[in-house]
Amino acid sequence: MSDGSSARAFGLWSAVFLGIGSMVGAGIFIVIGEAGAIAGNLVWLSFVLGGLVALFSGYSLAKLALRYPSRGGIIEYLVQGYGEGVFSGAAGILFYLAGLIAIAAVAKSFGEYLGVLTHMRTHFWVNTFAVGVVALFTLINLLGAALVARSENAIVVIKLSVLVLFTGAALYTVDPALLGTAKMPPMMDMLYAIGLTFFAYQGFSVITNTVEDMNDPQRNMLRSMILAILLVAALYILTSVAVLGNLPLPQVIHARDYALAEAAKPIFGTLGFKVMAVTALIATASAINASLYATTQISYTLAKEGNLPKIYQYNIFRSSEGLVVSALLILPMILFMNLGQITTVAALVVLIVQGVVHLGHLLKIHETAARRWAIVTAVLLSFGVAILTLAYTRHKMPDVPYYLLGAFALAFFAEVILRFVNGRIVRKQILLEKDKMLREIEETVRQKFMQAKKLGKTEIKKEG
């Protein structure tokens, strides 16, 4: 917090719009087809329940943000809940990997939409487009993309306008027969899709990053979180009704990777298809740019160094290593996984990490003054939906559990190497008085040990 004016930069509605802009990004363009192919005309109910999970998760994160206002976000909450040990460090790296998996999913979606728009939707070209857009925005971020960063508000307006216009028009042409009970899939399929629909809400946690710059955060933090999620839920539910009410399920399954564009065709014709596809390209491209910046600037630095510098600047000298490492890790996900697999793995990792955060919140609930039943519900919903999603993948995507285990193993081994080889510890950014005292004692002991070590070396040299 640099000055008094910046401390009042966010009021209630500015925080709400920030959350909406972050949530209504690439997720809905990816998820609507993938989830619709599973839940059929009940996908709207999957979005209702996914929104419910987001509401309880948002409540937990908002309470943590008010008690521990740090740019470290979820990584900070992990360290506060579980201490500065291997577990919280590995979970922090897993959160960083979750960000990379999400970028890979968005890039793959970009490739699918560009492929169908250019009539070059082959495996080779979809992957080429996806790798190309990641490479492009890695280069742009390395050079410092002030223009791209300033264009984010305009992009939010474009994608919201197109979605609202499409949904409003499509609701008038809904075929009731497509939404009737005769076309209804098994209820379990609707439950299996909740993990994917929850992924479409990802972005609500960005509201917690405004806590230091928010006007009256004690009053506005939780209210803005709930309002943003409810408004986005309403848009998603109506959009899902519009899509499944205009496209027969076989057509949704066939066009699952670009279902929103396909749903625009019966109403607006080929022009509508192209406009929605271009909007998807803009939304996915902007999401890649913003996510690369956030992931490499905050998550990578905190996971690797254990601390955040006081000031971040958007330029090559601050983030080149994180950008290059992140881009290299994203590429194999794009090349060796399809869109459904990447999206499912991303949803699972986010659900598990947030479940762990909420579980840690229970250990600190006396400090956050949160309602225990709400945090317990957030824990149960996060892990419960993750279990349902895994149950679905066991039959439909048998490789997904192995990818998930691979992410866990990579996070653990990376933590072990960083901690025991490099001596890195992920530190708490927000210290209570008792933590400050312990940190001072620890630093004093460390300095005395180093002095004694140097003195011992000096004595040995003299004797020599």
Side-chain angles (χ1 to χ4, degrees):
M1 190 159 48
S2 59
D3 56 53
S5 60
S6 66
R8 298 292 179 265
F10 284 93
L12 173 64
W13 286 105
S14 55
V16 168
F17 289 133
L18 175 68
I20 292 173
S22 299
M23 281 186 277
V24 186
I28 186 63
F29 293 95
I30 304 170
V31 166
I32 190 70
E34 299 293 334
I38 298 170
N41 62 9
L42 286 177
V43 71
W44 66 269
L45 190 51
S46 298
F47 274 106
V48 170
L49 296 177
L52 188 65
V53 180
L55 278 172
F56 280 99
S57 291
Y59 174 83
S60 177
L61 296 181
K63 286 293 187 179
L64 287 167
L66 290 170
R67 185 62 189 89
Y68 310 112
S70 166
R71 285 173 296 153
I74 282 178
I75 297 178
E76 174 70 11
Y77 310 150
L78 286 165
V79 179
Q80 292 289 347
Y82 299 100
E84 299 174 346
V86 172
F87 179 80
S88 56
I93 293 174
L94 188 63
F95 177 68
Y96 161 68
L97 291 176
L100 298 186
I101 298 167
I103 294 171
V106 175
K108 197 82 168 186
S109 180
F110 178 93
E112 292 284 355
Y113 273 101
L114 187 55
V116 75
L117 191 63
T118 58
H119 305 289
M120 299 170 66
R121 191 173 171 260
T122 63
H123 183 72
F124 172 80
W125 282 111
V126 167
N127 282 345
T128 300
F129 293 147
V131 170
V133 75
V134 171
L136 173 64
F137 280 105
T138 298
L139 178 62
I140 288 174
N141 274 265
L142 283 171
L143 298 176
L147 177 61
V148 176
R150 286 196 298 268
S151 68
E152 286 299 314
N153 287 339
I155 291 170
V156 169
V157 172
I158 291 170
K159 62 190 177 186
L160 279 175
S161 299
V162 172
L163 279 174
V164 170
L165 177 63
F166 159 75
T167 302
L171 287 174
Y172 281 101
T173 62
V174 162
D175 181 357
L178 294 175
L179 299 174
T181 55
K183 303 285 185 179
M184 193 176 292
M187 191 61 68
M188 279 304 298
D189 288 356
M190 181 277 297
L191 295 176
Y192 287 145
I194 297 173
L196 288 175
T197 57
F198 172 75
F199 180 69
Y201 289 93
Q202 280 313 294
F204 63 82
S205 61
V206 76
I207 297 174
T208 63
N209 296 335
T210 68
V211 62
E212 290 183 289
D213 299 325
M214 182 176 281
N215 180 28
D216 193 5
Q218 294 294 334
R219 173 180 169 82
N220 289 330
M221 172 58 68
L222 189 56
R223 292 173 69 205
S224 61
M225 181 75 75
I226 292 172
L227 275 171
I229 292 172
L230 288 176
L231 289 170
V232 169
L235 177 61
Y236 284 175
I237 293 163
L238 292 174
T239 302
S240 61
V241 170
V243 171
L244 272 298
N246 280 278
L247 289 181
L249 184 57
Q251 204 168 337
V252 173
I253 294 172
H254 175 73
R256 63 193 299 164
D257 295 337
Y258 54 94
L260 260 180
E262 189 69 19
K265 194 185 291 184
I267 307 144
F268 299 105
T270 304
L271 178 62
F273 177 90
K274 291 180 177 179
V275 168
M276 186 63 78
V278 169
T279 303
L281 291 175
I282 294 171
T284 50
S286 69
I288 292 167
N289 176 65
S291 299
L292 272 174
Y293 174 69
T295 302
T296 56
Q297 287 284 59
I298 302 295
S299 299
Y300 177 86
T301 303
L302 192 52
K304 179 177 182 292
E305 304 294 339
N307 285 290
L308 289 172
K310 292 181 180 179
I311 299 173
Y312 261 107
Q313 292 179 357
Y314 194 24
N315 61 52
I316 185 170
F317 305 108
R318 296 284 183 181
S319 59
S320 56
E321 179 187 323
L323 276 166
V324 173
V325 170
S326 299
L328 291 175
L329 288 172
I330 289 167
L331 293 186
M333 302 180 204
I334 292 172
L335 295 175
F336 300 113
M337 298 166 71
N338 63 42
L339 182 57
Q341 290 172 327
I342 302 174
T343 308
T344 304
V345 172
L348 281 167
V349 174
V350 170
L351 281 164
I352 292 169
V353 170
Q354 290 206 9
V356 170
V357 170
H358 305 324
L359 198 60
H361 189 171
L362 286 173
L363 303 175
K364 296 290 183 177
I365 203 163
H366 58 285
E367 294 179 6
T368 64
R371 296 182 185 275
R372 185 178 296 273
W373 68 267
I375 307 305
V376 170
T377 303
V379 172
L380 294 176
L381 287 175
S382 297
F383 288 128
V385 172
I387 291 169
L388 280 171
T389 307
L390 276 172
Y392 174 79
T393 63
R394 189 163 60 93
H395 299 292
K396 302 293 184 178
M397 300 178 183
D399 292 337
V400 164
Y402 296 106
Y403 292 139
L404 190 63
L405 286 174
F408 287 159
L410 180 59
F412 175 77
F413 286 119
E415 171 62 18
V416 169
I417 291 170
L418 287 169
R419 180 176 290 264
F420 297 110
V421 176
N422 292 356
R424 184 287 269 124
I425 296 175
V426 178
R427 298 287 190 182
K428 295 177 181 178
Q429 306 298 300
I430 305 297
L431 295 176
L432 304 179
E433 287 303 317
K434 62 178 181 180
D435 294 322
K436 290 179 181 177
M437 292 175 61
L438 289 172
R439 183 71 59 82
E440 288 173 0
I441 293 170
E442 179 184 295
E443 186 62 23
T444 301
V445 171
R446 189 187 69 81
Q447 289 178 357
K448 288 184 177 180
F449 174 77
M450 295 302 293
Q451 289 172 357
K453 191 175 180 181
K454 287 180 181 179
L455 184 62
K457 286 183 178 179
T458 303
E459 293 296 329
I460 291 171
K461 285 181 180 179
K462 285 181 179 179
E463 289 176 7

